[in-house]
Amino acid sequence: MKAYIFPGQGAQFTGMGQDLYNTSEEARTLFHQANDILGFNIAKIMFEGTAEDLKETKVTQPAIFLHSVILSKVLGDSFQPDMVAGHSLGEFSALVANGTLEFEDALRLVHKRALAMQKACEINPSTMAAVLGLEDDIVEEVCKHIDGVVVPANYNCPGQLVISGTHQAVEEACEAMKEKGAKRALLLPVGGAFHSPLMEPAREELAKAIESTRFNTPHCPVYQNVTTTAVSDPEEIKINLIKQLTAPVKWTQTMKQMLADGATDFTEVGPGKVLQGLLRKVDRQVTADSISGL
């Protein structure tokens, strides 16, 4: 069975999507449509912007979404997924790929999500940190015993878990992780504590937008970050998508479930090869490749 997986924030790079724009009329149409929907020239920033420009959440999220979705669309008939999944933001790309969301609706939701998350970061200054070389249960236990808000946020692969919370709590947790034997526990250059309770203001704002958006019955199941299991019911997909902002991304568990359900080939669609690398740490024998351009 063919699985397609879609990257999240952090995979962006200057020039992303330009080859698609230059070689595909369909891609050019979609980029121009995106500029109109967003109210700014996202294509120009993607093609010519600095790394600093692309790091802004309001730019990063639609940029990665556009690169992934436009790429899947120009693949045409060769794009025939049996199952899809996306890492955090990538779940929106996956939901367009399997027909749950229309391109325009999904882009509006991604834009709303980015602005809401940016606002939540300003309300509650916060951060994230990567913990390497510790078992998940040890990371979870350490977080429980730290004063303040700090929680597991991204279960990326065995031995790599990202934590999220207030600056002080995350820094204290990092020191405690090192004492427990972590190879590394380092702060990440992010705007705030994504996938933690501190994103509650963003979740409330995004929930209203999601509730008023049409969700179709998908062509194939999506494996969602919150449940890790195959979901095909539009109402259930909505509920999980709303929960996603304050819940952890269970990527390790999702990849294991897709493998258990019969996935034999994985293709990462979008910028970079991060997910391909994480997947190989889940299963070294898996067939995985990536498509980042034509």
Side-chain angles (χ1 to χ4, degrees), residues 15 41 63 143 198 213 262:
N41 195 334
C143 287
L198 297 175
T213 300

Side-chain angles (χ1 to χ4, degrees), residues 212-288:
S212 62
T213 300
R214 177 182 167 81
F215 278 55
N216 307 309
T217 301
H219 309 313
C220 69
V222 58
Y223 285 68
Q224 292 190 272
N225 294 173
V226 171
T227 63
T228 79
T229 53
V231 186
S232 295
D233 176 66
E235 287 306 312
E236 194 180 338
I237 290 171
K238 271 189 181 184
I239 291 165
N240 293 334
L241 202 57
I242 292 167
K243 286 179 181 176
Q244 194 218 61
L245 272 186
T246 52
V249 174
K250 297 177 180 176
W251 193 250
T252 304
Q253 300 90 323
T254 299
M255 293 300 96
K256 287 180 176 177
Q257 190 61 53
M258 291 175 94
L259 286 162
D261 287 353
T264 50
D265 296 281
F266 286 79
T267 302
E268 181 173 0
V269 185
K273 297 181 180 179
V274 171
L275 300 184
Q276 194 181 330
L278 296 179
L279 178 59
R280 290 222 166 92
K281 288 177 180 171
V282 173
D283 184 341
R284 292 183 184 279
Q285 307 304 316
V286 71
T287 302

Side-chain angles (χ1 to χ4, degrees), residues 124-183:
N124 295 306
S126 49
T127 192
M128 302 176 84
V131 181
L132 307 180
L134 267 191
E135 296 293 326
D136 291 350
D137 57 348
I138 297 175
V139 175
E140 291 163 356
E141 197 59 31
V142 168
C143 287
K144 280 181 196 170
H145 290 89
I146 300 290
D147 288 334
V149 178
V150 58
V151 294
N154 295 350
Y155 292 79
N156 284 333
C157 67
Q160 186 188 125
L161 207 163
V162 174
I163 60 173
S164 187
T166 62
H167 285 280
Q168 186 175 341
V170 169
E171 286 168 13
E172 285 179 21
C174 283
E175 290 309 308
M177 302 289 180
K178 289 173 190 171
E179 289 172 15
K180 291 285 186 182
K183 289 179 184 174

Side-chain angles (χ1 to χ4, degrees), residues 4-70:
Y4 285 87
I5 52 179
F6 297 84
Q9 202 159 336
Q12 67 275 7
F13 63 91
T14 299
M16 59 189 290
Q18 187 151 23
D19 55 344
L20 293 169
Y21 185 91
N22 292 340
T23 55
S24 166
E25 188 175 339
E26 183 180 7
R28 284 193 291 278
T29 300
L30 291 168
F31 273 117
H32 293 153
Q33 199 176 343
N35 291 342
D36 291 340
I37 289 170
L38 296 173
F40 64 93
N41 195 334
I42 183 76
K44 186 176 176 65
I45 301 173
M46 288 170 68
F47 305 160
E48 302 171 15
T50 64
E52 206 57 38
D53 294 332
L54 284 166
K55 258 170 63 178
E56 274 195 89
T57 296
K58 70 175 185 182
V59 171
T60 311
Q61 294 198 17
I64 290 168
F65 168 84
L66 285 170
H67 189 278
S68 297
V69 169
I70 292 174

Side-chain angles (χ1 to χ4, degrees), residues 91-111:
E91 194 159 282
F92 287 84
S93 308
L95 290 173
V96 176
N98 77 350
T100 303
L101 285 169
E102 301 299 330
F103 169 76
E104 301 91 333
D105 291 337
L107 179 57
R108 288 189 182 96
L109 287 178
V110 166
H111 184 47

